[in-house]
Amino acid sequence: MTSDGKEKMSAQASCLSFIKYLLFVFNLFFFVLGSLIFCFGIWILIDKTSFVSFVGLSFVPLQIWSKALAISGILTMGLALLGCVGALKEFRCLLGLYFGALLLLFATQITLGILISTQRVQLVRKVKDIVLKTIQNYRVHPEETAAEESWDYVQFQLRCCGWNSPRDWFRIPTLRSNESDVHLVPCSCYNSSATNDSAIFDTFYLSQFSRPRPQAQSGHNADICVVPANSHIYREGCEGSLNNWLHNNLISIVGICLGVGLLELSFMTLSMFLCRNLDHVYDRLARYR
């Protein structure tokens, strides 16, 4: 073989080595990231008190999110491990599994995007039904409050009350007052920025959210924090607030989705290129040496 041919084969081998270590380094980064996500989820699951004091916010259904984080971390670690070992040890079967897993993940994301775009009306109607059912069953079962507490958190963060308006809460049995005809709403509807009266703040709500809240008033259940609907509460329904949030953050959401998709496509391309050319290039290089 001529010297030009040997140089060409050597350059191809060097290119493959570069791709191999590039793929290894990127997957090592995601393996570490997955480990951190997993540890973060386990930390929340085991020691909620320390987590709450660290972030300054208590989101009551933490157990659900901690399990989701732990599972996401495990999946990220597993996928990154396939890429690391497959690239570093040049195992074609592992590279093939890595490519297949990324392809499945990418196809799932594309399918979800298409379904959300084409079934948007049905999705909004389904979300509305779930929210209104959650409101209707608010604190009916004290042992099953994850959905209600999640909705309280949504109202608190989006600064809204009810799905359509605060009137969604007026017919809820657990929020009816036996002492007067005043309608009551959960404390998550309270607009703390509309008043400077710190005397109405209560320790119970300080343990639930980072911002101060009004003192609980007795209703059907003394354990439920409620405020009168004619006090300083949010007047906008969460449907409008959610639409505004999506509209304001649409560019960021699309950008993140496109970035993740391009990253997955890049990794798939690199893994498939490495998988197809490893034996071919190295065998020819060894033969002519």
Side-chain angles (χ1 to χ4, degrees):
M1 185 178 183
T2 63
S3 59
D4 291 340
K6 290 183 179 180
E7 290 178 0
K8 183 178 179 180
M9 293 301 300
S10 178
Q12 290 178 349
S14 299
C15 180
L16 282 181
S17 295
F18 173 76
I19 292 175
K20 179 178 74 173
Y21 288 110
L22 180 65
L23 197 59
F24 169 77
V25 169
F26 271 111
N27 280 281
L28 182 61
F29 168 77
F30 280 101
F31 182 82
V32 174
L33 180 63
S35 302
L36 292 176
I37 294 174
F38 173 75
C39 293
F40 191 63
I42 295 299
W43 174 35
I44 300 174
L45 186 64
I46 295 177
D47 192 4
K48 297 183 180 67
T49 304
S50 296
F51 172 77
V52 169
S53 62
F54 178 75
V55 300
L57 178 66
S58 175
F59 182 19
V60 182
L62 286 173
Q63 189 173 7
I64 299 174
W65 291 102
S66 62
K67 291 179 180 179
L69 286 173
I71 293 174
S72 300
I74 291 175
L75 293 176
T76 303
M77 290 167 59
L79 186 59
L81 187 62
L82 282 178
C84 281
V85 177
L88 189 63
K89 297 298 182 179
E90 301 177 1
F91 290 157
R92 298 185 66 179
C93 59
L94 291 183
L95 288 173
L97 284 174
Y98 178 72
F99 174 83
L102 282 178
L103 182 62
L104 179 62
L105 181 61
F106 184 74
T108 302
Q109 293 169 346
I110 293 296
T111 303
L112 286 176
I114 294 174
L115 288 176
I116 291 174
S117 299
T118 57
Q119 306 294 322
R120 183 169 51 189
V121 176
Q122 292 84 346
L123 181 62
V124 171
R125 186 182 298 116
K126 183 66 176 178
V127 171
K128 177 181 179 180
D129 292 340
I130 293 174
V131 171
L132 291 179
K133 182 179 179 181
T134 300
I135 293 175
Q136 184 65 36
N137 296 327
Y138 191 79
R139 297 299 193 269
V140 172
H141 305 289
E143 69 282 356
E144 300 176 359
T145 60
E148 291 93 337
E149 289 162 352
S150 299
W151 183 244
D152 276 332
Y153 181 77
V154 170
Q155 291 188 141
F156 172 76
Q157 287 295 328
L158 294 182
R159 300 174 179 270
C160 56
C161 188
W163 178 255
N164 301 296
S165 70
R167 298 181 66 85
D168 293 336
W169 292 103
F170 290 176
R171 294 185 298 273
I172 308 306
T174 53
L175 299 185
R176 289 177 181 169
S177 174
N178 297 325
E179 302 174 357
S180 65
D181 295 331
V182 176
H183 294 295
L184 301 174
V185 296
C187 288
S188 56
C189 289
Y190 184 75
N191 185 1
S192 59
S193 62
T195 176
N196 295 320
D197 187 5
S198 59
I200 64 175
F201 297 156
D202 185 72
T203 306
F204 172 78
Y205 246 91
L206 289 174
S207 67
Q208 296 298 317
F209 299 107
S210 60
R211 292 204 302 264
R213 290 298 177 131
Q215 187 175 11
Q217 299 186 13
S218 297
H220 182 75
N221 189 331
D223 294 331
I224 302 177
C225 183
V226 293
V227 292
N230 57 5
S231 62
H232 298 284
I233 65 172
Y234 300 119
R235 299 298 174 181
E236 183 181 3
C238 290
E239 181 181 16
S241 297
L242 184 60
N243 288 332
N244 291 335
W245 183 88
L246 290 174
H247 182 266
N248 294 333
N249 295 276
L250 183 61
I251 296 178
S252 299
I253 294 172
V254 173
I256 291 174
C257 293
L258 287 177
V260 171
L262 290 175
L263 197 62
E264 291 170 350
L265 284 175
S266 300
F267 286 168
M268 283 192 289
T269 303
L270 291 176
S271 62
M272 182 52 60
F273 181 82
L274 195 62
C275 185
R276 288 175 59 88
N277 291 278
L278 277 175
D279 295 340
H280 176 70
V281 172
Y282 287 137
D283 287 347
R284 289 183 60 183
L285 188 62
R287 186 184 307 134
Y288 289 108
R289 283 179 177 174

